[in-house]
Amino acid sequence: VAMIDCCVAFGRSHHDVNTALTATGMLWSLADRDSSSETLDVVLSNLALLSSDNRPELRNCSVNTLFSCVVGLGERFTENQWEKSLNDTIFGVMREIASGISGAKDAVVAKDASNDRYKVAVHHTRNSSSKQWAATQVLALRGLERVLRQYFIRLLATASSTPPNISDSQQPWLITTWREILAISLDCSKLAGGRETLDVRMAGVELIVLCAQLSCKAGIVAAGTTARVGTNMEVVGGALRSVRTPTRDKKSETTTPTLPVDNALRQQLFELAFATMDGFRQYLEENGTTNSDDDSGVDSLLTQVLTKIMGELAKLYECCKHDEMSPGVCDLQLNIAIENDDGYESRFLYLLQVIANNAEYGSSSRYLNQVQKGVMSLLQTMASNSSLRAFKALATTSGDYMFVQSNENDAESFELEAAKTVASAFESDNLSDEAKVTVMCSVLSHYLKIYGSDKELIPSDAAERRTSEARYDIVTKVIDSGCHAAANIDVAADDKTILDSIWERIVTVVTSLILPPAASRYDGYAHHSKSILDIVAIVLTHLPPRKYALAEPMLEQGANRAVAVAFECIEDVNKPDAAEGAVHVFLACFMGLCQKMPTCSAVTSLTNHILGDAIDSNDEDGSVLFSKTQQSLAIAVCESLQTTTSQDLLVGVFPLLCRLTNVENDGLRRVAGRILGGVNLAQTISRERQRAQEADIRAQEVEEENSAMLEEIEYLQAENDELQRQLALFTTEADA
């Protein structure tokens, strides 16, 4: 004890700062040599006393030494020592630091003229008393983080012996301690001031989220945090010295102490931590953007704090995504019918929404800041984990940007990024097929409200959208992945009632694409024909055969409409793009008919009509545009016929294809020749001959059956005559 008192006396001495720092370090050495309860209590209490010294160098050294001593010797602590070191020593230091901050002034620290032995240049970030106290508070918060990271499981185990939920006085001491830690963290995160308090605020939010990570069911190791490397340094003779080769701390990297813990107590601690996060959210709602330090309306210091908390929240979600924030099992739905509740996932999304609102820059900003990018990244992670609430938040944020082009093509829009994030989340292997289909149906429902041909689906207060403003690059990805998922579910499902409704909605959307309203048909074909071609091909690839009858009228009407629009454009030479687009739409529809429904009457009628007109116009003096349009349609028909597997269809149009080989257009001649080269006439003739033989055999069998039936009829007629004769005899005898 005398040596401890001596070290403390030298530490408090203002004669020489180096002597004071060395004496402070020797306190740790004394505690390490004699780790008895009495020695530890004395050392920690004196370090706490030195932590309130007016000299920032000594104060910071004392704080660091205090927490290093606790971390280094914590394995030997009893439950009482833990309770006393946290509630009395560490919290006492926190209170002294808070008091020092409140009493500090912002004036520049004056030079001490009485001591010119050491001349130290002070950086402008630490040249005032308030800034120096803030730096000390950051060290204390970081030290508390070190203690919790290293010994949370041990603290939880030591406190689990007390029955919880009885009364405040009988609750485990860790509950009270936990509340105090969270209260200190929240106060620091809301600390007012300028740039000198930035590090304090960032350390405060980090400690809040760390408490949630530690107390969640999976623990902090689920976040995949970076492993710490032990330096294996010890204080020897008042100086840090290496005692062995530094090694990677495998224990803290991969495992946690296997100590018995009370899961109910752990859940209670997690709820307290999450409630503190809710408190920070409420602070943002009330005061987030009121202290902006520039003309953008956003506090740049707050933006840095939010950037920090977003990084920590991403780690927290990794810890909780399979337990506290698990989205649960997703059922097939036609819309995302899920409401926000008091669950952790809903509260977490609410926090993200508030953070995003506080991170918005002015309308002049052309790029997303780090906070907004962090929110988008975390929402994508949640959506990839089949969180329908995350998808709903993204869809609500995106609004119409998933289907409507942005006015500023070069700028990054938060709404547009939300729309792109929906499509990106569909690429995740962790996203369930049910979630994909549900989200796709919800997206398609929103599309129909904007561009659907059924006016009842359009809200009365919604502005009319021009078809030329539409965009399909994002929704195409959603439809592709969603249809693939729907097809997978359709194969294995026994009850296909909900699937029938899903396929009907998909076909309805495709119908609105290939059959645009009359007023916008030119714009639709001119601007989006290739997108329509892709979407039709995607849907037909995954459409189950039992739904071909649903798609047949859609494709037939789409092909006929496209042909009509193509010829309408002949009269208006100012619409060449619309004519070309109409040909693309016709190709999508007709190719779908040839591949999926080659025996339908629409294929034969359209083939005869278009190829026949192309052959007939070869001998007429039509306009150049008219001839080009016909040739484009004829080539589209031939390209579609190349994709069919029906030899009967090819044999039926064989005469027309032969005539096409004599037209002047090289493209038509070549494609007709390729189709004819693919027709297996020998196989067709053999098949027809076999059919004829089978027909002859069936006819002969029918004739033999007919002859046998005639003989049977003659026999029955004779039997009938005999019965009539006998009946007449019986009648005569009865009358006699």
Side-chain angles (χ1 to χ4, degrees):
V1 176
M3 294 182 62
I4 295 175
D5 292 339
C6 180
C7 290
V8 173
F10 274 106
R12 299 181 65 180
S13 172
H14 288 249
H15 174 70
D16 184 79
V17 67
N18 280 339
T19 302
L21 294 175
T22 303
T24 302
M26 289 184 65
L27 290 174
W28 183 6
S29 300
L30 293 174
D32 189 47
R33 292 177 182 274
D34 181 9
S35 58
S36 62
S37 177
E38 295 79 6
T39 302
L40 285 176
D41 291 343
V42 174
V43 169
L44 294 179
S45 62
N46 282 285
L47 285 173
L49 176 63
L50 294 174
S51 298
S52 61
D53 194 276
N54 290 329
R55 292 167 294 175
E57 301 88 354
L58 181 64
R59 184 171 65 237
N60 294 342
C61 177
S62 301
V63 170
N64 277 330
T65 304
L66 171 64
F67 284 103
S68 297
C69 186
V70 173
V71 171
L73 303 177
E75 294 287 347
R76 310 173 191 176
F77 281 18
T78 63
E79 180 178 357
N80 291 333
Q81 284 180 298
W82 273 118
E83 182 178 359
K84 184 176 180 180
S85 62
L86 288 171
N87 293 340
D88 296 340
T89 306
I90 294 179
F91 291 163
V93 171
M94 293 289 189
R95 286 190 290 268
E96 289 294 331
I97 295 175
S99 177
I101 291 179
S102 62
K105 298 181 180 180
D106 293 333
V108 176
V109 177
K111 180 181 177 181
D112 187 4
S114 62
N115 190 356
D116 293 335
R117 183 177 179 183
Y118 301 103
K119 299 182 183 296
V120 180
V122 180
H123 194 265
H124 67 87
T125 59
R126 298 291 182 266
N127 62 355
S128 68
S129 178
S130 61
K131 294 177 182 179
Q132 293 171 352
W133 277 104
T136 303
Q137 189 169 32
V138 172
L139 291 177
L141 292 172
R142 300 298 185 195
L144 186 55
E145 286 185 22
R146 291 167 55 197
V147 173
L148 294 178
R149 287 179 183 273
Q150 188 76 15
Y151 293 110
F152 173 77
I153 297 298
R154 181 173 295 277
L155 293 173
L156 187 62
T158 58
S160 296
S161 58
T162 306
N165 301 324
I166 300 177
S167 66
D168 291 340
S169 61
Q170 295 177 310
Q171 280 186 342
W173 63 269
L174 187 57
I175 295 292
T176 304
T177 303
W178 199 252
R179 285 196 178 101
E180 183 67 20
I181 293 173
L182 293 170
I184 292 172
S185 305
L186 184 59
D187 290 341
C188 291
S189 67
K190 300 188 297 183
L191 190 63
R195 189 167 296 276
E196 68 274 5
T197 63
L198 175 60
D199 291 339
V200 179
R201 296 165 68 183
M202 295 176 67
V205 296
E206 183 177 356
L207 185 53
I208 293 174
V209 183
L210 174 64
C211 289
Q213 288 179 274
L214 291 169
S215 57
C216 70
K217 186 175 181 180
I220 195 172
V221 293
T225 52
T226 303
R228 297 179 177 272
V229 177
T231 60
N232 298 300
M233 305 286 285
E234 290 185 1
V235 178
V236 179
L240 284 173
R241 298 182 184 276
S242 176
V243 295
R244 53 189 176 276
T245 304
T247 57
R248 198 174 182 86
D249 188 0
K250 296 294 184 180
K251 181 178 67 174
S252 62
E253 176 183 351
T254 59
T255 62
T256 56
T258 56
L259 299 174
V261 297
D262 186 350
N263 291 327
L265 175 60
R266 188 168 193 166
Q267 175 61 30
Q268 192 174 359
L269 298 179
F270 180 78
E271 173 58 33
L272 291 173
F274 216 95
T276 306
M277 291 169 53
D278 291 338
F280 182 72
R281 175 200 28 95
Q282 294 173 0
Y283 162 75
L284 292 178
E285 290 179 306
E286 297 171 359
N287 307 289
T289 58
T290 59
N291 298 319
S292 61
D293 54 6
D294 52 30
D295 296 333
S296 66
V298 179
D299 183 0
S300 61
L301 300 180
L302 176 62
T303 301
Q304 296 182 57
V305 175
L306 297 181
T307 302
K308 180 63 176 179
I309 195 174
M310 282 308 308
E312 300 304 316
L313 290 178
K315 299 176 185 177
L316 176 61
Y317 184 74
E318 288 297 323
C319 296
C320 302
K321 65 181 181 180
H322 298 306
D323 296 300
E324 291 86 355
M325 298 186 205
S326 173
V329 179
C330 179
D331 297 325
L332 277 181
Q333 307 173 46
L334 286 175
N335 288 292
I336 302 178
I338 187 169
E339 300 295 334
N340 292 329
D341 51 26
D342 293 332
Y344 293 121
E345 187 185 42
S346 295
R347 293 158 64 184
F348 191 76
L349 283 170
Y350 189 10
L351 174 60
L352 295 184
Q353 178 184 350
V354 173
I355 291 175
N357 293 339
N358 279 274
E360 290 181 355
Y361 280 176
S363 58
S364 60
S365 176
R366 298 177 60 84
Y367 302 100
L368 301 183
N369 57 38
Q370 292 300 318
V371 181
Q372 293 172 319
K373 291 180 180 179
V375 171
M376 282 294 107
S377 176
L378 186 47
L379 286 175
Q380 179 177 345
T381 301
M382 297 181 68
S384 300
N385 195 38
S386 301
S387 173
L388 293 183
R389 287 188 174 91
F391 273 116
K392 185 176 181 180
L394 288 169
T396 303
T397 301
S398 64
D400 296 348
Y401 278 77
M402 189 174 294
F403 320 104
V404 181
Q405 295 181 6
S406 174
N407 294 329
E408 299 180 1
N409 296 328
D410 296 334
E412 291 180 346
S413 166
F414 190 67
E415 293 80 5
L416 179 59
E417 289 302 314
K420 293 180 179 179
T421 301
V422 173
S424 299
F426 270 65
E427 300 175 0
S428 171
D429 295 333
N430 296 326
L431 185 60
S432 65
D433 287 341
E434 289 78 7
K436 290 182 180 179
V437 175
T438 300
V439 175
M440 177 192 65
C441 289
S442 181
V443 169
L444 297 182
S445 176
H446 189 56
Y447 170 83
L448 291 174
K449 292 179 180 179
I450 301 175
Y451 294 110
S453 58
D454 187 355
K455 295 300 180 182
E456 295 182 357
L457 293 176
I458 301 178
S460 58
D461 58 345
E464 292 287 344
R465 297 286 188 182
R466 292 193 308 167
T467 306
S468 60
E469 297 176 347
R471 65 179 302 161
Y472 295 102
D473 54 333
I474 299 176
V475 74
T476 299
K477 297 179 181 178
V478 175
I479 292 176
D480 188 6
S481 184
C483 287
H484 180 73
N488 292 339
I489 298 174
D490 197 289
V491 171
D494 295 328
D495 185 4
K496 303 183 185 297
T497 304
I498 184 67
L499 287 166
D500 290 340
S501 301
I502 290 170
W503 291 118
E504 289 173 4
R505 177 166 296 182
I506 295 172
V507 171
T508 301
V509 170
V510 178
T511 302
S512 70
L513 287 173
I514 63 179
L515 297 174
S520 60
R521 62 186 183 277
Y522 298 123
D523 287 340
Y525 290 151
H527 295 91
H528 310 297
S529 59
K530 294 183 179 179
S531 297
I532 295 174
L533 181 65
D534 293 338
I535 292 176
V536 171
I538 289 170
V539 172
L540 292 180
T541 299
H542 300 294
L543 190 70
R546 61 187 178 84
K547 286 298 177 182
Y548 286 171
L550 182 65
E552 180 179 344
M554 170 194 72
L555 297 175
E556 181 178 357
Q557 294 174 21
N560 290 327
R561 171 74 70 84
V563 171
V565 171
F567 284 107
E568 286 176 8
C569 294
I570 297 174
E571 302 176 1
D572 190 348
V573 295
N574 295 322
K575 292 185 172 62
D577 293 339
E580 183 180 356
V583 173
H584 288 153
V585 174
F586 169 79
L587 177 63
C589 297
F590 190 75
M591 185 175 292
L593 289 171
C594 290
Q595 292 176 350
K596 304 299 181 181
M597 295 146 272
T599 59
C600 68
S601 59
V603 174
T604 303
S605 61
L606 286 169
T607 302
N608 293 335
H609 170 58
I610 294 175
L611 295 186
D613 287 351
I615 294 171
D616 296 338
S617 66
N618 192 61
D619 300 328
E620 299 177 359
D621 295 330
S623 63
V624 176
L625 183 61
F626 181 74
S627 176
K628 181 179 179 181
T629 301
Q630 282 189 317
Q631 291 171 1
S632 298
L633 290 172
I635 291 175
V637 169
C638 293
E639 290 178 352
S640 301
L641 292 175
Q642 282 185 288
T643 64
T644 187
T645 57
S646 174
Q647 290 292 319
D648 293 338
L649 173 60
L650 297 179
V651 170
V653 298
F654 191 85
L656 288 174
L657 295 174
C658 292
R659 294 178 62 187
L660 279 179
T661 58
N662 296 321
V663 299
E664 296 182 359
N665 186 277
D666 292 338
L668 276 175
R669 289 202 307 269
R670 285 196 298 268
V671 71
R674 286 196 297 268
I675 297 174
L676 290 173
V679 178
N680 193 338
L681 292 178
Q683 181 181 359
T684 302
I685 293 173
S686 175
R687 186 174 64 252
E688 293 300 326
R689 182 178 298 169
Q690 183 178 357
R691 288 180 180 177
Q693 293 175 354
E694 292 175 354
D696 290 341
I697 294 174
R698 286 197 300 270
Q700 184 177 357
E701 292 176 352
V702 170
E703 184 176 357
E704 293 176 356
E705 292 177 358
N706 187 43
S707 300
M709 291 179 64
L710 289 175
E711 293 177 359
E712 183 69 19
I713 291 173
E714 292 177 357
Y715 173 77
L716 293 175
Q717 186 66 39
E719 288 289 332
N720 183 57
D721 293 342
E722 179 63 22
L723 291 174
Q724 291 292 338
R725 186 185 64 78
Q726 292 179 3
L727 179 61
L729 291 176
F730 289 149
T731 303
T732 302
E733 292 177 357
D735 292 340

